[in-house]
């Protein structure tokens, strides 16, 4: 689990991942304000039962930056 503190653009080649996973989200209340928590779960092909693989937390500023990145990537939304 990690709280995202910064986003930066990465240059270079990338390919779509062949594996698909589900992502759960929740709000985590803290004294400094809410956090958005996103957790990915292992793929359906995983041998064991479904469990969290990776968790990211975003504060208000991180969410604002991610929203700007999403709007830049998908301007028709």
């Amino acid at each position: 689990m990690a709280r995202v503190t910064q986003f930066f653009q990465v240059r270079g080649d990338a390919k779509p991942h062949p594996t698909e996973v589900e992502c759960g989200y929740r709000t985590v209340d803290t004294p400094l304000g809410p956090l958005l928590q996103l957790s990915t779960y292992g793929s359906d092909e995983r041998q064991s039962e479904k469990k969290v693989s990776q968790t990211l937390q975003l504060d208000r500023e991180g969410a604002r930056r991610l929203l700007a990145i999403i709007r830049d990537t998908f301007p028709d939304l």
Side-chain angles (χ1 to χ4, degrees):
M1 184 175 351
R3 187 176 313 177
V4 177
T5 60
Q6 183 179 12
F7 288 97
F8 57 90
Q9 188 170 18
V10 178
R11 304 272 182 208
D13 295 336
K15 299 177 191 173
H17 288 282
T19 305
E20 295 180 344
V21 298
E22 295 177 348
C23 182
Y25 68 93
R26 69 175 56 175
T27 300
V28 178
D29 293 318
T30 76
L32 298 177
L35 299 174
L36 172 62
Q37 180 170 300
L38 303 171
S39 299
T40 60
Y41 291 78
S43 68
D44 289 339
E45 289 77 35
R46 186 181 198 127
Q47 295 293 329
S48 61
E49 68 181 67
K50 187 178 288 196
K51 66 179 184 177
V52 173
S53 296
Q54 176 77 36
T55 297
L56 299 175
Q57 292 181 335
L58 300 171
D59 61 11
R60 183 178 193 80
E61 180 58 26
R64 184 199 62 75
R65 179 66 184 126
L66 180 58
L67 187 57
I69 293 167
I70 290 170
R71 286 183 175 145
D72 286 347
T73 304
F74 304 103
D76 58 322
L77 289 180

